[in-house]
Amino acid sequence: TLIHLAAHGVLHPKAEYSFIALAENNGIGALRVSEISNPNTVQFNEDAIMVMLSACDTAVALDINNMSGSEYITLASGFQKQVPTVVATLWPLADASAPIIVENFYKGVKANKSRDIALQDAVNILIDDKRFSNPFFWAPFIMMGDWR
Protein backbone atom coordinates (compact mmCIF):
# COMPACT_ATOMS: atom_id res chain seq x y z
CA THR A 1 0.00 0.00 0.00
CA LEU A 2 1.30 3.44 -0.99
CA ILE A 3 0.00 6.48 0.88
CA HIS A 4 0.08 9.78 -0.99
CA LEU A 5 -0.49 13.12 0.72
CA ALA A 6 -0.68 16.14 -1.56
CA ALA A 7 -1.21 18.98 0.89
CA HIS A 8 0.54 21.93 2.53
CA GLY A 9 3.46 21.31 4.86
CA VAL A 10 3.62 23.94 7.62
CA LEU A 11 6.76 24.32 9.69
CA HIS A 12 6.58 25.44 13.32
CA PRO A 13 9.52 26.71 15.43
CA LYS A 14 8.89 23.75 17.75
CA ALA A 15 9.33 20.88 15.29
CA GLU A 16 6.84 18.56 16.97
CA TYR A 17 4.10 21.11 16.19
CA SER A 18 4.84 21.24 12.47
CA PHE A 19 1.94 19.82 10.52
CA ILE A 20 0.41 18.80 7.24
CA ALA A 21 -2.66 20.90 6.53
CA LEU A 22 -5.41 18.51 5.50
CA ALA A 23 -8.04 21.25 5.61
CA GLU A 24 -8.02 25.03 5.89
CA ASN A 25 -9.64 25.93 9.19
CA ASN A 26 -7.29 27.52 11.73
CA GLY A 27 -5.42 24.34 12.59
CA ILE A 28 -8.42 22.02 12.48
CA GLY A 29 -7.47 19.30 10.03
CA ALA A 30 -3.80 19.66 10.90
CA LEU A 31 -1.88 16.39 11.10
CA ARG A 32 1.00 17.19 13.48
CA VAL A 33 4.35 15.43 13.76
CA SER A 34 3.52 14.47 17.34
CA GLU A 35 0.36 12.70 16.09
CA ILE A 36 1.98 11.05 13.06
CA SER A 37 4.76 9.47 15.10
CA ASN A 38 2.39 8.13 17.78
CA PRO A 39 0.95 4.74 16.74
CA ASN A 40 -1.87 5.24 19.27
CA THR A 41 -3.01 8.33 17.34
CA VAL A 42 -2.29 7.44 13.71
CA GLN A 43 -2.10 3.81 12.64
CA PHE A 44 -1.15 2.55 9.22
CA ASN A 45 -2.19 -0.74 7.66
CA GLU A 46 0.53 -3.40 7.98
CA ASP A 47 0.74 -3.38 4.16
CA ALA A 48 1.75 0.31 4.07
CA ILE A 49 5.21 0.39 2.52
CA MET A 50 5.59 4.03 1.55
CA VAL A 51 4.32 7.53 2.22
CA MET A 52 4.74 10.17 -0.50
CA LEU A 53 4.63 13.66 1.01
CA SER A 54 3.92 15.93 -1.94
CA ALA A 55 3.98 19.01 0.27
CA CYS A 56 6.48 21.77 0.97
CA ASP A 57 9.33 21.41 3.46
CA THR A 58 8.43 17.95 4.78
CA ALA A 59 12.04 16.83 5.33
CA VAL A 60 13.29 19.95 7.12
CA ALA A 61 12.87 21.72 10.44
CA LEU A 62 13.00 25.47 11.13
CA ASP A 63 15.59 25.58 13.88
CA ILE A 64 17.71 22.50 14.40
CA ASN A 65 19.80 24.30 17.04
CA ASN A 66 16.89 24.41 19.49
CA MET A 67 15.68 20.82 19.14
CA SER A 68 15.56 18.84 22.34
CA GLY A 69 17.27 15.47 22.33
CA SER A 70 19.37 14.07 19.52
CA GLU A 71 16.63 13.33 16.98
CA TYR A 72 16.12 15.54 13.94
CA ILE A 73 12.32 15.97 13.97
CA THR A 74 10.53 16.66 10.69
CA LEU A 75 7.16 15.81 9.17
CA ALA A 76 8.87 12.96 7.34
CA SER A 77 10.49 11.56 10.49
CA GLY A 78 7.06 11.06 12.04
CA PHE A 79 6.05 8.81 9.15
CA GLN A 80 9.40 6.99 9.20
CA LYS A 81 8.45 5.50 12.54
CA GLN A 82 5.52 3.68 10.91
CA VAL A 83 6.42 2.90 7.27
CA PRO A 84 9.65 1.66 5.65
CA THR A 85 9.89 4.38 2.96
CA VAL A 86 9.09 8.09 2.98
CA VAL A 87 9.48 10.45 0.03
CA ALA A 88 9.63 14.01 1.32
CA THR A 89 10.81 17.47 0.29
CA LEU A 90 13.63 19.80 1.25
CA TRP A 91 12.01 23.10 0.23
CA PRO A 92 8.78 24.56 -1.18
CA LEU A 93 7.52 22.77 -4.27
CA ALA A 94 6.84 24.40 -7.61
CA ASP A 95 3.27 23.76 -8.72
CA ALA A 96 4.39 23.27 -12.32
CA SER A 97 7.10 20.66 -11.72
CA ALA A 98 6.09 18.65 -8.63
CA PRO A 99 3.17 16.86 -10.35
CA ILE A 100 5.47 15.82 -13.21
CA ILE A 101 7.89 14.20 -10.79
CA VAL A 102 5.12 12.48 -8.85
CA GLU A 103 3.33 11.20 -11.95
CA ASN A 104 6.51 9.81 -13.48
CA PHE A 105 7.60 8.32 -10.16
CA TYR A 106 4.36 6.35 -9.93
CA LYS A 107 4.68 5.26 -13.58
CA GLY A 108 8.08 3.84 -12.70
CA VAL A 109 6.79 2.07 -9.60
CA LYS A 110 3.89 0.64 -11.61
CA ALA A 111 6.44 -0.63 -14.17
CA ASN A 112 8.11 -2.56 -11.30
CA LYS A 113 11.14 -0.31 -10.98
CA SER A 114 12.61 -0.03 -7.51
CA ARG A 115 11.44 3.14 -5.78
CA ASP A 116 14.90 4.74 -5.91
CA ILE A 117 15.24 4.21 -9.66
CA ALA A 118 11.65 5.38 -10.25
CA LEU A 119 12.41 8.64 -8.40
CA GLN A 120 15.73 9.07 -10.20
CA ASP A 121 14.07 8.55 -13.60
CA ALA A 122 11.30 11.01 -12.73
CA VAL A 123 13.87 13.63 -11.74
CA ASN A 124 15.87 13.02 -14.92
CA ILE A 125 12.81 13.86 -17.01
CA LEU A 126 12.80 17.33 -15.47
CA ILE A 127 16.56 17.77 -15.75
CA ASP A 128 16.24 17.13 -19.49
CA ASP A 129 13.41 19.68 -19.84
CA LYS A 130 14.82 23.19 -20.35
CA ARG A 131 11.86 24.72 -18.48
CA PHE A 132 12.75 22.77 -15.33
CA SER A 133 16.51 22.23 -15.58
CA ASN A 134 17.22 24.44 -12.55
CA PRO A 135 17.67 22.22 -9.44
CA PHE A 136 14.94 24.20 -7.66
CA PHE A 137 12.42 22.28 -9.79
CA TRP A 138 13.85 18.76 -9.77
CA ALA A 139 15.82 18.40 -6.55
CA PRO A 140 13.39 18.93 -3.63
CA PHE A 141 12.25 15.29 -3.38
CA ILE A 142 14.33 12.87 -1.32
CA MET A 143 13.70 9.26 -0.37
CA MET A 144 14.33 8.02 3.15
CA GLY A 145 14.39 4.46 4.35
CA ASP A 146 13.91 1.37 2.18
CA TRP A 147 14.67 2.24 -1.44
CA ARG A 148 13.40 -1.02 -2.92
Side-chain angles (χ1 to χ4, degrees):
T1 303
L2 304 177
I3 300 164
H4 182 97
L5 293 173
H8 295 288
V10 180
L11 296 178
H12 189 279
K14 290 188 176 188
E16 62 272 15
Y17 295 115
S18 293
F19 63 92
I20 295 175
L22 301 175
E24 290 186 45
N25 195 0
N26 298 325
I28 297 171
L31 185 57
R32 299 190 188 290
V33 171
S34 57
E35 296 168 324
I36 296 165
S37 60
N38 183 346
N40 294 322
T41 307
V42 176
Q43 293 183 338
F44 293 99
N45 183 310
E46 290 178 10
D47 296 334
I49 60 169
M50 187 188 87
V51 171
M52 164 69 87
L53 297 174
S54 188
C56 299
D57 302 313
T58 55
V60 295
L62 280 179
D63 187 1
I64 61 171
N65 295 321
N66 290 326
M67 287 189 175
S68 59
S70 61
E71 187 175 8
Y72 184 71
I73 301 169
T74 66
L75 288 163
S77 66
F79 287 101
Q80 281 186 290
K81 294 181 180 193
Q82 298 208 49
V83 296
T85 306
V86 177
V87 178
T89 59
L90 294 169
W91 55 77
L93 297 176
D95 290 339
S97 58
I100 297 170
I101 291 178
V102 172
E103 179 182 348
N104 286 294
F105 169 74
Y106 284 128
K107 282 181 184 176
V109 169
K110 189 174 181 180
N112 292 320
K113 292 182 180 180
S114 62
R115 293 186 289 273
D116 64 329
I117 297 299
L119 184 58
Q120 179 182 353
D121 288 350
V123 164
N124 286 338
I125 289 169
L126 286 188
I127 291 172
D128 293 339
D129 185 328
K130 289 182 182 184
R131 297 172 300 158
F132 303 117
S133 61
N134 184 303
F136 170 78
F137 295 108
W138 56 261
F141 286 95
I142 62 169
M143 182 174 295
M144 297 176 274
D146 187 354
W147 50 269
R148 295 168 282 160

